[in-house]
Amino acid sequence: MRPVEDTYRHKGLRKKLVETVRSKGITDEKVLQAIENIPRHFFLDSAFDEVAYEDRAFPIGEGQTISQPYTVAYQSQLLEVKPFDKILEIGTGSAYQATVLASLGAQVYTIERQRALFDQNKTFAYLKRFPSIKFFFGDGYEGLPTYAPFDKVIITAAAPDIPPKLIEQLKTGGMMVIPVGAGEVQLMMRITKLPNGVMKEEVFDKFSFVPMKEGKKN
Ligand code: SAH
């Protein structure tokens, strides 16, 4: 069961979480504000109520996880989200990251490859507050050619390589934030599509994501 109440206790725990995330190096105040505003415990089963505001990943079913708040903040900060940015997210999962991006004013197109997780979000009432998020069931490696190009692309699963179709769907001047690596640990990368056609690659810190897999799972 999902919790439905956002109490003063939850709000207080969120303030502490924001300070933790800030102390780990996140400086974007808008991102920090989004973390403070969004009731993360709504995205988890009520069994996690006591721990929902620890800076940790938690299981959300189907062997997948809701990312650690620090990681969500880190990727969001690297994306330099501006109001009305059109963002493609690969790996909807709990939809927590998608709501953080929507809170920053983005139009979010998010893809999940696991039917069970995609279906869970259909009945998640809190998401009704975010009409700027569009949910898709599909293989993120394909992207969403019908809706391309995007200002930004964010991948929230570990990619062994940079998916070429997603680079194609990026606008000129657009950016992709992606954890790259085939093993347990990945490097966060930011790829910028420069006007001269060159891909600028920046490498940031190490993270550990669940793997990005090919194809859909019904
Ligand atoms: N952004 C999520 C993180 C979920 S974990 C959150 O905020 O909770 C990563 C998710 O990526 C999982 O749900 C997994 O099923 C999904 N995934 C993995 N490979 C994928 C692919 N090729 N296309 C779409 N989703 C994928």
Side-chain angles (χ1 to χ4, degrees):
M1 283 284 286
R2 285 187 192 274
V4 288
E5 257 191 302
D6 189 26
T7 64
Y8 282 107
R9 185 182 142 268
H10 292 117
K11 290 186 174 88
L13 291 171
R14 278 210 291 288
K15 276 195 197 298
K16 281 196 189 156
L17 173 62
V18 165
E19 289 324 309
T20 302
V21 169
R22 192 196 294 280
S23 72
K24 291 181 179 174
I26 302 299
T27 53
D28 186 326
E29 289 300 329
K30 292 201 176 90
V31 169
L32 292 167
Q33 191 63 54
I35 304 279
E36 181 160 345
N37 291 345
I38 299 170
R40 187 179 191 238
H41 66 290
F42 283 7
F43 294 75
L44 291 160
D45 189 273
S46 53
F48 292 94
D49 201 72
E50 286 302 312
V51 292
Y53 293 104
E54 290 180 12
D55 190 22
R56 285 167 51 191
F58 290 107
I60 54 167
E62 309 304 315
Q64 304 305 317
T65 54
I66 180 173
S67 300
Q68 185 181 342
Y70 169 67
T71 306
V72 171
Y74 193 100
Q75 286 196 289
S76 304
Q77 176 166 294
L78 281 182
L79 270 185
E80 297 178 0
V81 182
K82 290 176 196 66
F84 307 110
D85 267 357
K86 196 172 149 188
I87 303 185
L88 174 65
E89 182 195 23
I90 310 304
T92 314
S94 70
Y96 179 71
Q97 171 76 72
T99 61
V100 169
L101 298 173
S103 302
L104 296 168
Q107 304 285 330
V108 184
Y109 296 74
T110 183
I111 313 179
E112 174 54 54
R113 70 177 285 277
Q114 294 213 45
R115 171 70 76 181
L117 295 176
F118 173 77
D119 284 347
Q120 269 181 30
N121 287 327
K122 285 193 205 165
T123 55
F124 181 8
Y126 178 71
L127 297 180
K128 300 279 177 283
R129 297 195 198 184
F130 297 90
S132 60
I133 307 176
K134 291 184 173 57
F135 295 87
F136 298 84
F137 171 57
D139 178 3
Y141 276 103
E142 299 298 322
L144 290 172
T146 328
Y147 297 91
F150 297 94
D151 296 293
K152 313 274 166 72
V153 175
I154 173 172
I155 292 152
T156 67
D161 300 291
I162 297 161
K165 287 182 184 169
L166 302 185
I167 292 285
E168 271 172 37
Q169 292 174 31
L170 205 52
K171 281 185 194 170
T172 299
M175 294 193 305
M176 172 187 289
V177 171
I178 176 170
V180 183
E184 286 288 298
V185 174
Q186 304 87 44
L187 283 169
M188 194 65 76
M189 292 186 67
R190 182 166 64 184
I191 321 292
T192 308
K193 200 179 211 174
L194 299 178
N196 59 7
V198 170
M199 298 297 157
K200 176 181 155 195
E201 295 192 357
E202 296 167 281
V203 181
F204 298 92
D205 294 317
K206 286 179 185 160
F207 289 87
S208 193
F209 283 80
V210 294
M212 182 169 176
K213 294 190 175 159
E214 295 202 35
K216 289 189 275 193
K217 184 168 177 272
N218 263 299

